Amino acid sequence: MQRRTFLLAGTAALFLPLPATADGPARAMLYKNPQCGCCEGYAAYLRENGFVVDVKATNDLAEISRKAGVPEDLEGCHTMFIDGYVIDGHVPVNVVRKLLSEKPAIAGITLPGMPMGSPGMVGTKTEVFTIYSVTKDGKPPAIYATE
């Protein structure tokens, strides 16, 4: 009888919902120019990969990037904030996850411009993407990752 009770309790435990993790999905705020469609594509790409993304259209994107510390020559198509970091441009999700897991002492990362074949962009990838770190201390950006 005792063995049967143990088996029933063990089987019942299989059907209990798992506890929610404290972390949950990463939540991001993405700022974009009102007329930009590829930014919506990037937001959709992040959502497909488990992120919660809010999108806000703005005519002050350059100012938002500047205040976040992104050098003008390294600005991407949109500016996103997640977990205390700035992510500028169409950065691949595995590099975003690397940033969030490593938690380096930087302001964030950027993929300059709008490279063909990058997440949210049309076309086929034809070049290596170079993602730069955005520093907090005014030092020049360095290569954070290549993809």
Side-chain angles (χ1 to χ4, degrees), residues 83 129 132:
D83 222 13
F129 301 145
Y132 296 90

Side-chain angles (χ1 to χ4, degrees), residues 43-128:
Y45 162 78
L46 289 173
R47 289 180 187 118
E48 290 167 6
N49 283 281
F51 290 81
V52 176
V53 183
D54 296 318
V55 177
K56 183 173 182 177
T58 179
N59 290 313
D60 298 322
L61 190 58
E63 180 70 9
I64 291 169
S65 292
R66 186 187 64 73
K67 284 183 177 177
V70 180
E72 187 176 350
D73 61 330
L74 295 180
E75 287 179 5
C77 179
H78 48 263
T79 303
M80 181 172 71
F81 296 93
I82 184 169
D83 222 13
Y85 290 102
V86 61
I87 299 172
D88 222 64
H90 293 262
V91 178
V93 72
N94 61 320
V95 180
V96 173
R97 286 189 175 127
K98 176 183 178 202
L99 173 75
L100 297 176
S101 68
E102 291 179 350
K103 299 189 184 309
I106 59 175
I109 54 178
T110 181
L111 175 58
M114 300 168 66
M116 291 292 278
S118 61
M121 290 294 295
V122 297
T124 304
K125 181 179 176 184
T126 59
E127 61 186 290
V128 173

Side-chain angles (χ1 to χ4, degrees), residues 32-51:
K32 70 176 202 83
N33 285 316
Q35 63 277 10
C36 187
C38 66
C39 300
E40 291 290 346
Y42 184 71
Y45 162 78
L46 289 173
R47 289 180 187 118
E48 290 167 6
N49 283 281
F51 290 81

